[in-house]
mmCIF file of all heavy atoms in Angstrom:
data_model
loop_
_atom_site.group_PDB
_atom_site.id
_atom_site.type_symbol
_atom_site.label_atom_id
_atom_site.label_comp_id
_atom_site.label_asym_id
_atom_site.label_seq_id
_atom_site.Cartn_x
_atom_site.Cartn_y
_atom_site.Cartn_z
ATOM 1 N N LYS O 7 -1.418 17.881 4.573
ATOM 2 C CA LYS O 7 -0.549 18.918 5.204
ATOM 3 C C LYS O 7 -1.236 20.100 5.759
ATOM 4 O O LYS O 7 -2.462 20.394 5.427
ATOM 5 C CB LYS O 7 0.511 19.449 4.190
ATOM 6 C CG LYS O 7 -0.257 20.116 2.904
ATOM 7 C CD LYS O 7 -0.375 21.528 3.046
ATOM 8 C CE LYS O 7 -1.034 22.347 1.982
ATOM 9 N NZ LYS O 7 -2.292 22.344 1.646
ATOM 10 N N ILE O 9 -0.114 24.551 5.932
ATOM 11 C CA ILE O 9 0.839 25.478 5.639
ATOM 12 C C ILE O 9 0.920 26.414 6.759
ATOM 13 O O ILE O 9 -0.154 27.087 7.152
ATOM 14 C CB ILE O 9 0.590 26.221 4.229
ATOM 15 C CG1 ILE O 9 0.515 25.224 3.081
ATOM 16 C CG2 ILE O 9 1.493 27.309 4.044
ATOM 17 C CD1 ILE O 9 0.517 25.716 1.714
ATOM 18 N N GLY O 12 3.164 31.189 4.246
ATOM 19 C CA GLY O 12 3.475 31.466 2.835
ATOM 20 C C GLY O 12 2.567 31.043 1.742
ATOM 21 O O GLY O 12 3.033 31.028 0.638
ATOM 22 N N GLU O 13 1.357 30.509 2.075
ATOM 23 C CA GLU O 13 0.489 30.142 0.890
ATOM 24 C C GLU O 13 0.222 31.328 0.071
ATOM 25 O O GLU O 13 0.335 32.458 0.528
ATOM 26 C CB GLU O 13 -0.911 29.551 1.440
ATOM 27 C CG GLU O 13 -1.552 30.268 2.448
ATOM 28 C CD GLU O 13 -1.174 29.894 3.842
ATOM 29 O OE1 GLU O 13 -1.666 28.997 4.496
ATOM 30 O OE2 GLU O 13 -0.219 30.567 4.337
ATOM 31 N N HIS O 14 0.035 31.086 -1.121
ATOM 32 C CA HIS O 14 0.001 32.144 -2.254
ATOM 33 C C HIS O 14 1.269 32.816 -2.484
ATOM 34 O O HIS O 14 1.668 32.875 -3.672
ATOM 35 C CB HIS O 14 -1.181 33.141 -1.889
ATOM 36 C CG HIS O 14 -2.513 32.545 -1.963
ATOM 37 N ND1 HIS O 14 -3.107 32.213 -3.159
ATOM 38 C CD2 HIS O 14 -3.441 32.180 -1.034
ATOM 39 C CE1 HIS O 14 -4.328 31.756 -3.003
ATOM 40 N NE2 HIS O 14 -4.461 31.684 -1.704
ATOM 41 N N VAL O 16 4.059 31.687 -2.069
ATOM 42 C CA VAL O 16 4.908 30.789 -2.621
ATOM 43 C C VAL O 16 4.710 30.545 -4.148
ATOM 44 O O VAL O 16 5.521 30.204 -4.858
ATOM 45 C CB VAL O 16 4.738 29.368 -1.883
ATOM 46 C CG1 VAL O 16 3.355 28.713 -2.066
ATOM 47 C CG2 VAL O 16 5.781 28.361 -2.264
ATOM 48 N N VAL O 17 3.455 30.820 -4.651
ATOM 49 C CA VAL O 17 3.182 30.629 -6.026
ATOM 50 C C VAL O 17 3.982 31.650 -6.743
ATOM 51 O O VAL O 17 4.400 31.592 -7.997
ATOM 52 C CB VAL O 17 1.625 30.923 -6.270
ATOM 53 C CG1 VAL O 17 1.283 30.955 -7.733
ATOM 54 C CG2 VAL O 17 0.787 29.813 -5.620
ATOM 55 N N GLY O 92 -8.064 22.931 2.145
ATOM 56 C CA GLY O 92 -6.740 23.479 2.348
ATOM 57 C C GLY O 92 -5.751 22.596 3.149
ATOM 58 O O GLY O 92 -4.661 22.952 3.461
ATOM 59 N N ASN O 134 -1.572 26.381 -11.759
ATOM 60 C CA ASN O 134 -0.304 26.856 -11.652
ATOM 61 C C ASN O 134 0.224 26.546 -10.165
ATOM 62 O O ASN O 134 0.462 27.418 -9.407
ATOM 63 C CB ASN O 134 -0.186 28.376 -11.825
ATOM 64 C CG ASN O 134 1.113 29.055 -11.640
ATOM 65 O OD1 ASN O 134 2.082 28.333 -11.756
ATOM 66 N ND2 ASN O 134 1.161 30.285 -11.336
ATOM 67 N N PRO O 135 0.351 25.248 -9.850
ATOM 68 C CA PRO O 135 0.672 24.953 -8.464
ATOM 69 C C PRO O 135 2.166 25.226 -8.158
ATOM 70 O O PRO O 135 3.086 25.152 -9.130
ATOM 71 C CB PRO O 135 0.526 23.405 -8.338
ATOM 72 C CG PRO O 135 0.611 22.854 -9.782
ATOM 73 C CD PRO O 135 0.229 24.037 -10.683
ATOM 74 N N SER O 136 2.417 25.783 -7.006
ATOM 75 C CA SER O 136 3.764 26.043 -6.620
ATOM 76 C C SER O 136 4.775 24.841 -6.519
ATOM 77 O O SER O 136 5.914 24.824 -6.698
ATOM 78 C CB SER O 136 3.917 26.946 -5.398
ATOM 79 O OG SER O 136 3.475 25.968 -4.298
ATOM 80 N N GLY O 137 4.040 23.684 -6.151
ATOM 81 C CA GLY O 137 4.777 22.464 -5.889
ATOM 82 C C GLY O 137 4.907 22.126 -4.373
ATOM 83 O O GLY O 137 5.349 21.117 -3.902
ATOM 84 N N VAL O 138 4.552 23.187 -3.505
ATOM 85 C CA VAL O 138 4.700 22.868 -2.045
ATOM 86 C C VAL O 138 3.864 21.761 -1.568
ATOM 87 O O VAL O 138 4.351 20.996 -0.683
ATOM 88 C CB VAL O 138 4.404 24.204 -1.289
ATOM 89 C CG1 VAL O 138 2.973 24.719 -1.302
ATOM 90 C CG2 VAL O 138 4.794 24.084 0.264
ATOM 91 N N ASP O 139 2.507 21.629 -2.158
ATOM 92 C CA ASP O 139 1.659 20.632 -1.568
ATOM 93 C C ASP O 139 2.217 19.182 -1.947
ATOM 94 O O ASP O 139 2.209 18.325 -1.054
ATOM 95 C CB ASP O 139 0.237 20.737 -2.202
ATOM 96 C CG ASP O 139 -0.518 21.923 -1.576
ATOM 97 O OD1 ASP O 139 0.185 22.669 -0.799
ATOM 98 O OD2 ASP O 139 -1.679 22.060 -1.869
ATOM 99 N N THR O 179 -8.803 25.841 -5.016
ATOM 100 C CA THR O 179 -7.400 26.453 -5.000
ATOM 101 C C THR O 179 -7.202 27.378 -6.196
ATOM 102 O O THR O 179 -6.692 28.408 -6.235
ATOM 103 C CB THR O 179 -6.285 25.365 -4.822
ATOM 104 O OG1 THR O 179 -6.622 24.706 -3.631
ATOM 105 C CG2 THR O 179 -4.949 25.868 -4.795
ATOM 106 N N VAL O 183 -6.035 31.076 -6.324
ATOM 107 C CA VAL O 183 -4.739 31.526 -6.790
ATOM 108 C C VAL O 183 -4.855 32.514 -7.921
ATOM 109 O O VAL O 183 -4.223 33.567 -7.895
ATOM 110 C CB VAL O 183 -4.000 30.223 -7.398
ATOM 111 C CG1 VAL O 183 -2.843 30.604 -8.282
ATOM 112 C CG2 VAL O 183 -3.481 29.462 -6.163
ATOM 113 N N GLY O 263 -3.727 27.070 3.573
ATOM 114 C CA GLY O 263 -4.108 26.665 2.293
ATOM 115 C C GLY O 263 -4.531 27.735 1.443
ATOM 116 O O GLY O 263 -4.180 29.006 1.686
ATOM 117 N N ALA O 264 -5.399 27.567 0.572
ATOM 118 C CA ALA O 264 -5.873 28.545 -0.410
ATOM 119 C C ALA O 264 -6.792 29.627 0.215
ATOM 120 O O ALA O 264 -6.909 30.831 -0.316
ATOM 121 C CB ALA O 264 -6.561 27.968 -1.623
HETATM 122 C C1 MEV C 401 -2.407 25.584 -1.474
HETATM 123 O O1 MEV C 401 -2.269 24.572 -0.581
HETATM 124 C C2 MEV C 401 -1.322 26.453 -1.451
HETATM 125 C C3 MEV C 401 -1.205 27.634 -2.455
HETATM 126 O O2 MEV C 401 -0.149 28.478 -2.225
HETATM 127 C C4 MEV C 401 -1.221 27.173 -3.950
HETATM 128 C C5 MEV C 401 0.083 26.646 -4.302
HETATM 129 O O3 MEV C 401 1.170 26.733 -3.680
HETATM 130 O O4 MEV C 401 0.207 25.998 -5.374
HETATM 131 C C6 MEV C 401 -2.458 28.547 -2.288
#
Side-chain angles (χ1 to χ4, degrees):
K7 62 88 179 74
I9 294 190
E13 49 274 272
H14 289 289
V16 68
V17 174
N134 181 24
S136 66
V138 65
D139 288 10
T179 300
V183 166

